Amino acid sequence: MRRSRGLTAALVLSLAGVGTGIGLVLMPEASAITQPVAFTADDLPTWQPNGIVFAMAQANGTVFAGGTFSAVRPPDNAGSGTEQEAVNFVALDAATGTPTSCKLAFTTGDGSATVRSLVVSKDKKTLYAAGYFGAVNGTPVSSVAAIDIESCTPKASFHPSFPATVRALAVTDDTLYAAGDFGTVEGQTRERFAAVDAASGAIKPFVANADEPGRAVALSNDGKNVLLGGDFFSVNGSNTHALAVVNATTGAVAKTYNNIPSNSVVKHISADATGYYTGNEGSGGGVFDGRIGLGTNFNEKWRDRCLGATQFVLPYDGVLYSSSHAHDCSLEGQFPDGKRNFLLAQLTDHEGAAPAPVDGFVRSPRKLGWHPTANDGLGEGIGPRVMAIAEKNDTKYMWVGGEFTLINGQPQQALTRFSSKGDVGAPTTPVAGAGSVKPGEAQVRWRTSYDQDDSKLTYRIYRNGSGTAIATVAAESLEWERRQASWTDTTVKAGQSYTYRVTATDAAGNTSALSATASVTIPSSVQSYPDKVRSDGANLYWRYDDAVSPYVADSSVSGNTSGVQVNAPALRQTPGAVTGTSTSMGFNGTSQQVYSDHRQSVGSSYTVETWFKTNSSRGGKLIGFGNNTTSNSGTYDKQLYITNTGRLIFGVYNGSNRTISTGLFDSSYNDNKWHHVVGTQGPGGMTLYVDGQNKGTNNASTSTAYEGFWHVGGDNLAGWPTRPTSNFFAGQIDETAVYPTALTQAQVKSHYDLAKAPTDTVSKVVTTEDTYVNQGAPNAANGAATSLAVRGTSAYQTYLRFTLPAAPAGQVLKTASLQVKTTTQAGAGTTDTVSVVPVTGSWTAAATTFNTKPALGTPALGTLAGAADGSAVHGIDLDTAAVTALLGSNTSLALTSTGTDPLWLWSSESTAADAAPQLILTFGPK
């Protein structure tokens, strides 16, 4: 079974005042970017050619780029500089991205000239160029040239004759190796690979004749061998496809390879001290488009089978950077088929022992959080084609060339670069939610953010509008693996409401905006249904109470599998399936669904559970497992779906489709009523439950093992019995859960029963009118003010009017609290105790002044023992019996104090978030 890499989210720091049970762990010292990535993903201003870059090299702080173009121009919005002629070649300052004084023109009198490879001699004095051209600055050459770097002039004495395109070069102290389309060199047979003297260009006795074009050549670390790559199927008569190792002096074959598919080729080979790496490209079905890691003995150590042709591989400091258009890394347990990812980074070797082979191949080392974006661009629509690392002024630069016309969403053609310093990109803003199913506990959760060059981010949680974080959490994420992180607040009080916001910060200190406010009211007693789902071990629990798209929060105890909404399902549909405690999600039956946001495998025992309501006659998938996300899955099972006639089917695939369905004469479940459906599988086989009743079993105890994603509301159903008209469900879905065990019948029945049991309900009653009076201005009315004030001497008093509901039938008031929010002005908090008392006299916001203020009653209904400075929400517990007597009426409350330190609060006229004073009333069964 394939293994998916988990993402961890750990609490790393607790701040004063957050209670117990939160451990203190020191944060690692921050670095500019998340190591071992060495470069930011923030592109720097760089001059850009008007064509395609195929080749790059660097020396002494200068980057050389070759390809097919005629001019270079300043970066867009650069503000200075004019286009310059550059005939298939440009030299640029590594630190500034601007052209240097070195000008070379690669031309030909026959067809279009192009530069396809550039390499620099070890002494950094000579630049070798290859491609298809007949002259450099007018000096005759034949597709290979040597340039004196200091003078920027071609060496006329170096003049080997290559009669066809040369695609790759490698150089030692005395030998230049070439790969390409040629069949002869200097009139002697040299088919696709050759070696010439590095000084004179004289042909050497090296013979490595191949039957198809050569595309890559690299020296072994010890200089004794040469690695060859290309389209070939034989070298010197030995069968070897796309890759071979030959003797560096003679060309004799030293190692062959026959495990690269016939429709795939090697485009590039590179090396570091630990081994060799290939970039591969293919076309057609069953291609190999990824990367191979070879050990120093030339044996394969891992294979990356991502699809999307790899053009270049560049190892640096333990990381393999690559340019490709990878669009499907399913075989590596990573992102499914979808958008193109043009620039990737991964470790060159596994951390610790390599994993067990999958399908005969060892999976590649993990990918890292470096992910600049590009586009297909010109020519073949390949995107990036070549990479180089240059250094100047103690800063290293990753240069990238190719066919692209966009980098990070902005216009930039053919060349770009990234620095080892100066990370300025902030993470995306977290999307946060909060929930509570029992007193004294609130779960704050958010889908982890994405940062282009930081996979480890720090999240800060702010409660009730405070400017000081109540907790800090560290979590890892990649663009395609953004599992939910969560933190549990154990200092909350029953019956009170709380708000939370979250920020994400990268290692360089770049911080996202605050998330939207997530609100939660703490119940006065345990909510039986969700508490039972959690205690029965759900490891995915979507309640669909989210107020913000496009993510669905996971309310399970582990809380790390959020969902991603597709095509905007309808949020917060009421009523939900569970009495009084939840909302549901609405699906249109044509395109909407939710999928889990990380790849995983499913064990041999599991349970899928959901509630649904529909009157559709087109059927659709309720929940299932599949190997894709937004596109139809090609592998899919472990699913519950409803047919056109309202029958329910639970199915798995273990070599054939194994299903259980409700009977032909059973109820039709498309009756627009809420129904509970559960499918289990384990050693005893499969069972389908509907509305707490066992509807059938079979002995299928296995299903297909693969990695994939949970889907709710839609995914492929092709080939399954009684396939409905639509793959997508139309109706409402609620309370979806997945368990790593097979629930018992008793557990399933208890879930069904608890969903219909009476439960607490919460009413939030906002003031209908509010004002305050000021003893210092005894005749002034402040009804239109956006703030309210409370003080003993000289007096401020605040008055609040509420229209209180009656208790729902069969329920009583269990808790009551007054929620107010301090303003943002300096000193808005108070050190004095503030009392909430009943108002017995009459008043209106428009006319009440200190001289006409209403009479107040006793005793106090509740007190606030001071409030810290800084805008924040505060809850004041009220006497439940006293508030009960006021239910069903219009009532007024006053805020008073005996001290001299004023409290400033927002009024209902304020536009600040959570500003209006409100009562939080919790009703429950008698």
Side-chain angles (χ1 to χ4, degrees), residues 129-134 140-146 155-166 169 176 178 181-197 200-204:
Y132 182 77
F133 46 83
V141 293
S142 182
S143 292
V144 176
K155 296 182 177 182
S157 60
F158 181 89
H159 195 279
S161 176
F162 285 82
T165 301
V166 177
L169 298 173
L176 181 70
D181 301 348
F182 50 86
T184 63
V185 177
E186 292 291 308
Q188 299 187 38
T189 299
R190 295 289 189 274
E191 296 178 342
R192 283 83 187 196
F193 295 97
V196 299
D197 185 271
S200 67
I203 193 166
K204 290 202 166 187

Side-chain angles (χ1 to χ4, degrees), residues 334-657:
Q334 294 157 6
F335 52 86
D337 196 10
K339 78 178 192 67
R340 293 185 167 192
N341 300 273
F342 293 94
L343 295 167
L344 297 174
Q346 62 195 117
L347 295 174
T348 54
D349 284 294
H350 288 284
E351 300 156 299
V358 177
D359 300 332
F361 298 100
V362 175
R363 276 185 171 176
S364 61
R366 67 182 176 93
K367 291 188 173 59
L368 304 171
W370 185 73
H371 200 68
T373 64
N375 69 336
D376 294 346
L378 309 172
E380 297 177 50
I382 293 291
R385 279 186 171 273
V386 63
M387 313 171 84
I389 294 173
E391 182 174 1
K392 189 170 185 180
N393 301 329
D394 297 323
T395 300
K396 296 180 176 64
Y397 299 90
M398 166 70 77
W399 282 71
V400 179
E403 299 177 347
F404 52 84
T405 58
L406 294 174
I407 291 293
N408 289 335
Q410 300 300 314
Q412 179 66 28
Q413 183 171 339
L415 278 174
T416 191
R417 62 200 176 97
F418 308 93
S419 174
S420 60
K421 301 176 181 178
D423 179 17
V424 298
T428 58
T429 302
V431 178
S436 177
V437 301
K438 55 187 173 183
E441 182 179 293
Q443 185 189 49
V444 186
R445 55 277 177 113
W446 59 95
R447 190 182 190 229
T448 46
S449 298
Y450 165 57
D451 188 281
Q452 286 185 293
D453 42 33
D454 287 282
S455 57
K456 296 179 181 179
L457 299 175
T458 298
Y459 298 88
R460 290 179 174 83
I461 302 103
Y462 299 86
R463 186 173 77 176
N464 288 350
S466 172
T468 301
I470 191 173
T472 303
V473 172
E476 293 188 25
S477 58
L478 298 170
E479 186 195 29
W480 55 85
E481 187 173 65
R482 296 169 58 187
R483 296 176 69 175
Q484 179 175 292
S486 63
W487 172 75
T488 300
D489 188 349
T490 58
T491 66
V492 293
K493 296 180 180 180
Q496 292 195 8
S497 290
Y498 296 85
T499 61
Y500 299 90
R501 302 182 79 180
V502 182
T503 62
T505 302
D506 66 16
N510 300 304
T511 299
S512 73
L514 280 163
S515 71
T517 300
S519 302
V520 61
T521 300
I522 311 305
S524 58
S525 59
V526 173
Q527 295 181 354
S528 301
Y529 182 88
D531 187 62
K532 180 64 172 172
V533 171
R534 287 159 58 95
S535 64
D536 279 344
N539 56 7
L540 179 156
Y541 184 20
W542 295 343
R543 305 202 67 200
Y544 308 108
D545 296 335
D546 309 274
V548 181
S549 295
Y551 308 121
V552 176
D554 178 8
S555 296
S556 69
V557 174
S558 58
N560 62 12
T561 309
S562 57
V564 181
Q565 301 166 28
V566 178
N567 293 322
L571 304 183
R572 300 188 64 79
Q573 303 293 287
T574 58
V578 176
T579 303
T581 63
S582 75
T583 59
S584 63
M585 182 170 284
F587 297 84
N588 63 10
T590 59
S591 62
Q592 295 171 339
Q593 61 157 309
V594 175
Y595 66 86
S596 58
D597 65 348
H598 77 100
R599 184 183 292 275
Q600 60 187 284
S601 58
V602 179
S604 57
S605 295
Y606 63 91
T607 297
V608 289
E609 172 184 43
T610 199
W611 289 79
F612 71 94
K613 182 174 72 170
T614 184
N615 59 2
S616 171
S617 59
R618 300 179 72 248
K621 183 172 290 192
L622 297 169
I623 180 173
F625 196 68
N627 68 342
N628 215 316
T629 52
T630 56
S631 300
N632 260 356
S633 295
T635 304
Y636 45 96
D637 73 337
K638 305 171 187 65
Q639 59 195 6
L640 293 164
Y641 61 96
I642 186 168
T643 69
N644 292 350
T645 59
R647 295 176 65 195
L648 292 168
I649 298 179
F650 174 42
V652 304
Y653 183 84
N654 60 4
S656 62
N657 294 337

Side-chain angles (χ1 to χ4, degrees), residues 202-227:
I203 193 166
K204 290 202 166 187
F206 173 91
V207 175
N209 290 333
D211 59 337
E212 295 290 345
R215 297 180 181 270
V217 59
L219 272 295
S220 66
N221 292 332
D222 61 7
K224 296 180 179 179
N225 294 284
V226 180
L227 291 87

